[in-house]
Amino acid sequence: MAFSVVQNCRRRFVSGVHPKGRSMVARHQSTVTSEPVRAYPLDNGVRLAADPAPGNLASVSVVVNAGVSHEQPKLNGVANLLQLASVKTQAAEAHKIGATLIGQTTRETTTYNITCLPEDAAKAVEILGQIVSSPVQAESFEQARTEVISSRKELWDVVNKEVVMDYLYSAAYQQTPFQQTVGGEIADLKRATLEDLTAFRAKNYTGSNLVVSASGAIETEKLTPLVESAFSGVAQSQSRFISERVPFTGSFMHIRDETTKDVQVAIGFETFSYNHKHALTLGILKELVGEWSNQSRAGTYASARLAEGFALQKLVDNYHTFNHQYKNTGLFGVYASTTEIDKVDDVVYHIFNEFQKLFTYISPEELFRAQNGLKNKILATEATTALRSQVVGQQMLGLDRRVSVGEAFRRIDSITVSDVQDVIDHYFYDVDPVVVAHGDLEEMPDYVVMRNWTYWNRW
């Protein structure tokens, strides 16, 4: 296995879309409203936000401003390890009330969520309070570490999409905490101790770094005293976010491995944070670039023009567009996998060329379809009480307010073709991308060639 790093048409009218359909749907969707969600700060800085909804379940979440980017050098994976060990420690208590307890760690945050019957909400809040303040059991720590190390070994034995995306982050955010993997390096996981987890929690699970959010059949008035009691042991502190832009490095990671039958390529561009005025515009662009799989029932009739081209020419087995936004950076791009090894250069060219095509022309029908696709994804985050409570907590932590579905829909409806093309012009045109490729890369273009594909000469 060779390893190297190099530093730095017009669409037809869509049948079935009535000329007046856009304005009629927009008027209907703009009426979607919800009561504003307020944040109630406790004395120690912990914030409580509740978004009640009718139903038979209640969900309570804790979103912590503590992720991979807050880890110390040589201790990569501590944030995820703490989350897993904490869930294991409290799992028995959650099972006693028939509740579902889950956790998730990202590069910026850690989230715990428990879903239960409304009458068990008090116990659920107590369990979450124990997670953020009580010691982790040594047995749970050892079990979590063993499971993580085992899963990491399996990943590296068979390079898949998750590994390629980890490579992409390591190339894009060199010499920054964002280059570290969420799961952690095996050597660091073996080195970690229970004292390291305790120290990480003491430093990060504090005051304004925590947001407690709830949704479902729950009343804010009854929830407030429960949270005050359960989280009274949390130390007071100021919220910590990285205040400056995270450095981004355009680069090419070339991992040649002729033992595999497919080639995986990930192409990324530096964008902006989730509180940028064009954050939703990136969501529209993601829908326009689209996704496709040879297992899809859409076949060659995919709506995105890139998906249609890939399907008709049988260039890829699957591809998807990703849009990862953080407090002070963003990574947007396309991941593709193909067994057509002799056509890798065509795959890469089509991906870069798609942004130039969109910069040149986007039809009203394409924009309309992309807007509805983004709205559908937003509605999907409101489908369950668990998802809704997590979204409320994440928005309160990052934006300091809840963005209602109605507001999101109105902002999406206001996005124009010019807005999308302005974003492409500023962040995708004539820039240094980050590229990671794995497999038999004899037909992989050179970085200089790919860099030249980010612009067209126009006269």
Side-chain angles (χ1 to χ4, degrees):
M1 179 184 292
F3 184 96
S4 63
V5 178
V6 180
Q7 199 75 356
N8 162 189
C9 103
R10 245 192 114 140
R11 295 279 285 172
R12 60 187 177 277
F13 180 78
V14 180
S15 61
V17 178
H18 193 276
K20 296 183 179 180
R22 177 185 172 89
S23 60
M24 292 170 65
V25 173
R27 284 198 303 270
H28 170 71
Q29 291 171 333
S30 66
T31 63
V32 179
T33 59
S34 62
E35 293 296 324
V37 178
R38 299 178 182 177
Y40 300 89
L42 307 184
D43 293 338
N44 56 3
V46 177
R47 285 169 287 172
L48 167 63
D51 188 10
N56 299 320
L57 294 174
S59 291
V60 185
S61 299
V62 175
V63 183
V64 191
N65 177 25
V68 178
S69 60
H70 301 97
E71 295 174 344
Q72 297 297 317
K74 305 299 183 182
L75 285 176
N76 179 211
V78 169
N80 184 57
L81 198 57
L82 174 59
Q83 173 261 121
L84 292 172
S86 299
V87 170
K88 285 182 177 295
T89 299
Q90 298 296 327
E93 292 298 316
H95 291 162
K96 287 180 181 179
I97 60 173
T100 302
L101 176 62
I102 59 174
Q104 182 184 21
T105 304
T106 68
R107 283 179 165 78
E108 274 191 338
T109 63
T110 298
T111 303
Y112 301 94
N113 175 266
I114 186 167
T115 302
C116 62
L117 295 174
E119 56 266 27
D120 295 319
K123 182 62 177 178
V125 173
E126 179 185 337
I127 291 173
L128 291 175
Q130 294 292 321
I131 284 178
V132 301
S133 58
S134 296
V136 173
Q137 295 177 356
E139 182 181 358
S140 299
F141 165 67
E142 292 297 340
Q143 289 178 355
R145 179 163 63 174
T146 301
E147 291 177 4
V148 174
I149 291 176
S150 177
S151 65
R152 298 301 293 173
K153 287 181 178 179
E154 291 176 0
L155 277 178
W156 292 109
D157 288 340
V158 180
V159 178
N160 59 13
K161 180 177 69 175
E162 182 179 344
V163 175
V164 171
M165 292 302 296
D166 282 341
Y167 279 139
L168 189 71
Y169 270 88
S170 66
Y173 297 105
Q174 299 174 33
Q175 306 302 315
T176 73
F178 273 80
Q179 74 173 353
Q180 302 181 131
T181 66
V182 174
E185 297 292 340
I186 294 178
D188 292 347
L189 293 170
K190 291 180 177 179
R191 186 184 301 115
T193 65
L194 189 57
E195 289 72 23
D196 293 326
L197 268 64
T198 302
F200 182 85
R201 185 171 62 183
K203 182 179 180 181
N204 298 284
Y205 285 39
T206 56
S208 299
N209 289 325
L210 271 67
V211 171
V212 180
S213 55
S215 184
I218 201 164
E219 298 179 18
T220 307
E221 295 76 12
K222 295 181 179 180
L223 186 65
T224 303
L226 298 175
V227 174
E228 289 177 342
S229 175
F231 290 81
S232 59
V234 176
Q236 187 173 5
S237 72
Q238 296 296 320
S239 182
R240 299 173 299 95
F241 275 111
I242 300 174
S243 57
E244 57 186 19
R245 168 185 167 271
V246 181
F248 181 94
T249 304
S251 53
F252 180 23
M253 185 177 289
H254 185 281
I255 310 168
R256 186 160 185 167
D257 183 3
E258 297 181 358
T259 65
T260 62
K261 296 181 180 180
D262 64 339
V263 172
Q264 300 177 81
V265 178
I267 301 169
F269 299 85
E270 180 186 19
T271 55
F272 40 77
S273 71
Y274 48 67
N275 55 17
H276 193 278
K277 65 179 182 179
H278 283 307
L280 288 175
T281 307
L282 274 185
I284 294 292
L285 180 59
K286 180 175 182 289
E287 295 297 316
L288 288 169
V289 179
E291 61 184 7
W292 183 83
S293 169
N294 55 12
Q295 303 299 316
S296 170
R297 296 180 180 229
T300 59
Y301 298 97
S303 57
R305 64 174 75 163
L306 179 61
E308 183 181 33
F310 278 156
L312 288 172
Q313 300 180 54
K314 299 181 179 179
L315 291 177
V316 300
D317 297 325
N318 65 83
Y319 89 94
H320 81 274
T321 311
F322 56 86
N323 176 28
H324 302 164
Q325 292 177 285
Y326 303 97
K327 184 68 175 180
N328 286 289
T329 188
L331 185 63
F332 186 104
V334 176
Y335 165 88
S337 175
T338 179
T339 53
E340 300 292 332
I341 297 176
D342 58 335
K343 297 181 180 179
V344 173
D345 56 339
D346 291 333
V347 173
V348 176
Y349 171 75
H350 277 288
I351 292 173
F352 279 101
N353 193 46
E354 182 62 21
F355 292 100
Q356 300 304 317
K357 288 181 177 179
L358 292 172
F359 182 49
T360 303
Y361 178 76
I362 301 172
S363 71
E365 294 75 32
E366 286 176 311
L367 179 63
F368 173 76
R369 192 164 46 231
Q371 288 173 322
N372 284 334
L374 181 56
K375 291 175 183 177
N376 183 57
K377 286 181 171 57
I378 291 176
L379 287 176
T381 65
E382 307 282 327
T384 66
T385 57
L387 290 173
R388 192 181 307 117
S389 68
Q390 293 176 57
V391 169
V392 171
Q394 290 162 359
Q395 291 181 346
M396 282 294 179
L397 186 65
L399 304 175
D400 203 28
R401 71 185 187 94
R402 162 71 158 148
V403 179
S404 68
V405 175
E407 178 188 348
F409 277 22
R410 288 190 292 273
R411 290 174 59 187
I412 291 171
D413 285 331
S414 68
I415 295 173
T416 64
V417 169
S418 296
D419 293 329
V420 179
Q421 292 177 336
D422 285 344
V423 168
I424 297 175
D425 187 24
H426 283 87
Y427 297 95
F428 298 85
Y429 183 79
D430 197 12
V431 295
D432 296 329
V434 57
V435 182
V436 171
H438 174 269
D440 187 349
L441 303 178
E442 184 176 349
E443 298 298 326
M444 186 70 190
D446 184 75
Y447 184 79
V448 174
V449 175
M450 293 185 287
R451 173 64 176 80
N452 290 339
W453 284 342
T454 65
Y455 68 90
W456 282 356
N457 289 320
R458 297 177 176 86
W459 292 274

